[in-house]
Structure formats: structure tokens, C-alpha cells
């Protein structure tokens, strides 16, 4: 069970961190109020929903000995804010998928919640891609 707790912990952190980066790039680079509001609603709903999970998982955290801590696991380079944005959207989507799968073991309701988050992020990614493409064309 310890591994399951650690997987949930790291992916909750990854998901919330990724969403925060996406929010900031949309806020300051894309400057789209509707997209920003949508991302904030998702992030705020997520924060409220996982509040108790987060607290319960901290004792299982082993960040000092985590094999994924090394810089060699993050070799992707970013060329611009668009790279940062889409890398963090993917990070958030992947984390939502991991949470969905792991939570299918014992919490179907939370698994469904993360599935819904994942599909919302796919829609946001599409909206952002369309917005960026239209901005470049103009």
C-alpha cells in the first residue's frame, strides 16, 4: 500500500504544479480571460477535492530517496513559453491518468473525478492550440 500512496502523492503534486504553470502562462502570455477562468475553476475544484488526500499522503512521502528526483530524469528542453505551456498540460494530463488508474483499485468515485479532469484538460489543450495558432496567423 505504501507504493500506492506514494504514487498518488507524487501525481497529485505533479498535477497541481502543472496546472499552476498552465494558469500563469495563459494569464500572462495568452491573456485569455475565459481560458484562465476555466483553468482556475478546475484547479480550485481539484484543490478542494484533494485536500484530505493531500494531508493523509504526506507521511508516505520519501522525496529524499525518490529515484525520480535526479535532474537526469528531466531532459526536455524548453525553447519558449509555448513549450512550457504544452509540456505542463501533458504533465497534468498524464498525472490525472495515473491517479485515475491507481484510484480504480479502491476509490471509484475519485478515479472518475480524475478522468473528468483529464478530459477537461484535453479540451483546454485544444482551445489553447487553436488560440495560439490564430494568434500566430494574425
Amino acid at each position: 500500500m505504501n507504493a500506492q500512496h506514494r504514487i498518488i502523492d507524487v501525481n497529485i503534486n505533479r498535477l497541481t504544479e502543472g496546472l499552476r504553470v498552465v494558469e500563469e502562462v495563459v494569464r500572462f502570455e495568452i491573456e485569455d480571460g475565459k481560458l484562465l477562468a476555466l483553468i482556475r475553476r478546475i484547479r480550485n475544484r481539484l484543490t478542494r477535492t484533494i485536500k484530505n488526500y493531500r494531508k493523509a499522503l504526506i507521511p508516505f512521502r520519501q522525496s529524499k530517496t525518490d529515484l525520480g528526483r535526479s535532474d537526469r530524469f528531466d531532459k526536455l528542453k524548453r525553447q519558449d513559453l509555448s513549450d512550457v505551456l504544452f509540456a505542463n498540460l501533458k504533465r497534468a494530463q498524464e498525472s490525472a491518468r495515473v491517479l485515475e488508474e491507481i484510484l480504480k483499485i479502491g476509490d471509484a468515485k475519485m478515479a472518475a473525478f480524475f478522468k473528468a479532469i483529464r478530459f477537461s484538460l484535453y479540451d483546454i489543450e485544444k482551445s489553447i492550440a487553436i488560440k495560439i495558432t490564430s494568434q500566430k496567423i494574425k
Side-chain angles (χ1 to χ4, degrees), residues 62-73:
Q62 297 178 13
S63 28
K64 287 184 180 178
T65 58
D66 187 330
L67 298 175
R69 183 179 178 139
S70 170
D71 287 343
R72 66 189 167 118
F73 286 97

Side-chain angles (χ1 to χ4, degrees), residues 16-125:
T16 57
E17 291 162 359
L19 281 175
R20 177 54 107 179
V21 173
V22 169
E23 181 180 326
E24 298 298 359
V25 175
V26 168
R27 177 180 174 193
F28 293 108
E29 177 68 13
I30 296 176
E31 296 180 323
D32 184 307
K34 287 182 182 179
L35 276 172
L36 179 61
L38 178 59
I39 294 162
R40 281 189 173 166
R41 269 196 308 276
I42 291 170
R43 193 175 56 76
N44 289 333
R45 181 172 171 229
L46 174 65
T47 300
R48 284 190 310 273
T49 303
I50 63 171
K51 182 180 176 183
N52 292 332
Y53 259 96
R54 234 184 189 157
K55 289 178 183 175
L57 293 167
I58 291 172
F60 296 96
R61 190 173 296 161
Q62 297 178 13
S63 28
K64 287 184 180 178
T65 58
D66 187 330
L67 298 175
R69 183 179 178 139
S70 170
D71 287 343
R72 66 189 167 118
F73 286 97
D74 190 16
K75 294 186 179 195
L76 296 176
K77 303 295 180 217
R78 312 288 192 257
Q79 301 298 318
D80 55 28
L81 283 176
S82 178
D83 286 352
V84 170
L85 176 66
F86 286 105
N88 279 278
L89 273 166
K90 284 297 171 203
R91 173 179 289 142
Q93 292 163 356
E94 291 167 357
S95 295
R97 179 56 178 218
V98 171
L99 289 162
E100 174 190 344
E101 291 297 325
I102 295 299
L103 289 167
K104 284 178 181 177
I105 294 170
D107 194 339
K109 185 177 176 183
M110 284 299 283
F113 171 76
F114 285 109
K115 181 177 183 176
I117 293 278
R118 182 168 55 90
F119 277 92
S120 294
L121 293 174
Y122 292 152
D123 293 339
I124 289 170
E125 181 180 35

Side-chain angles (χ1 to χ4, degrees), residues 7 112 121 133:
I7 292 168
L121 293 174
T133 300

